């Protein structure tokens, strides 16, 4: 079962850069740690060797997961986005109907989410609640703090 995820060119490049770093620099670093620990003698009582081997296993697991993500990644063509409804990579301006506060978010893939940059995951409660909605739609979204009513004010391309 493949988990297809959608990414911007920037997001996909970050994933590929991280994967390349892990495969080159991190693998070499752990190989050196294992070699140094081996030189210290008896492996059966060598905690440094055990720790380095465990780190190697965790690194290989992380590399494997990233390779799967990259293999199942799909690039989004931003020029083909439809702004008539909220979807991934659209910037949506919403109004909190409880306190009349305006907020603006860009919906992105989970790996690209960054609240400081105004990017929220399409898998977050707010992201899920907004997907497919149109300007003028009112929606109640359940968040950890309770249920918040929102109105979609504007949809644009980020």
């Amino acid at each position: 079962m493949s988990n297809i995820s959608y990414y911007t060119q920037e997001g996909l490049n970050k994933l590929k850069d991280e994967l390349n770093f892990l495969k080159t620099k991190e693998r070499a670093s752990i190989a050196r740690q294992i070699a140094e620990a081996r030189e210290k003698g008896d492996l059966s009582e060598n905690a440094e060797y055990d720790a380095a081997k465990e780190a190697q296993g965790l690194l290989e697991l992380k590399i494997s997961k990233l390779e799967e993500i990259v293999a199942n990644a799909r690039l989004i063509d931003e020029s083909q986005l439809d702004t008539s409804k909220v979807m991934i990579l659209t910037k949506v301006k919403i109004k909190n109907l409880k306190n009349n506060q305006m907020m603006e978010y860009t919906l992105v893939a989970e790996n690209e989410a960054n609240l400081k940059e105004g990017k929220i995951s399409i898998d977050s409660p707010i992201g899920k609640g907004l997907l497919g909605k149109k300007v003028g739609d009112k929606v109640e979204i359940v968040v950890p703090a309770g249920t918040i009513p929102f109105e979609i004010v504007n949809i644009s391309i980020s």
Side-chain angles (χ1 to χ4, degrees):
M1 181 178 118
S2 66
N3 294 329
I4 293 176
S5 296
Y6 295 90
Y7 292 91
T8 59
Q9 186 65 56
E10 177 189 0
L12 189 57
N13 287 345
K14 279 183 185 176
L15 278 177
K16 288 179 178 180
D17 290 346
E18 181 181 359
L19 182 59
N20 185 46
F21 173 78
L22 293 176
K23 284 178 149 183
T24 55
K25 305 253 187 309
E26 283 297 305
R27 265 188 183 155
S29 171
I30 289 180
R32 273 193 304 280
Q33 291 172 24
I34 290 172
E36 288 171 13
R38 251 193 209 125
E39 290 172 4
K40 293 183 179 169
D42 185 10
L43 297 181
S44 65
E45 295 178 12
N46 189 331
E48 282 182 47
Y49 179 78
D50 291 341
K53 288 299 278 184
E54 185 175 336
Q56 181 184 40
L58 293 173
L59 175 67
E60 292 304 323
L61 181 64
K62 189 172 184 178
I63 288 172
S64 173
K65 285 183 178 181
L66 264 177
E67 284 176 334
E68 183 180 344
I69 289 169
V70 170
N72 292 315
R74 299 293 180 266
L75 200 57
I76 297 171
D77 182 357
E78 295 180 51
S79 67
Q80 301 297 316
L81 290 178
D82 173 13
T83 58
S84 68
K85 61 185 177 196
V86 178
M87 56 194 298
I88 192 165
L89 286 191
T90 54
K91 183 180 279 189
V92 60
K93 187 180 235 177
I94 55 177
K95 180 179 180 181
N96 181 329
L97 297 176
K98 275 188 179 174
N99 62 14
N100 288 329
Q101 183 179 0
M102 298 291 265
M103 293 172 276
E104 196 167 60
Y105 296 115
T106 301
L107 274 70
V108 295
E110 190 172 339
N111 292 22
E112 294 184 61
N114 182 337
L115 201 53
K116 287 180 182 172
E117 295 176 8
K119 296 178 178 180
I120 62 169
S121 167
I122 56 170
D123 296 322
S124 70
I126 293 176
K128 284 180 181 176
L130 295 175
L131 279 176
K133 302 297 185 275
K134 297 180 174 164
V135 172
D137 284 357
K138 291 183 170 83
V139 60
E140 289 196 354
I141 299 175
V142 178
V143 295
T147 302
I148 303 174
F150 291 105
E151 180 180 352
I152 314 292
V153 177
N154 187 33
I155 303 169
S156 61
I157 295 177
S158 53

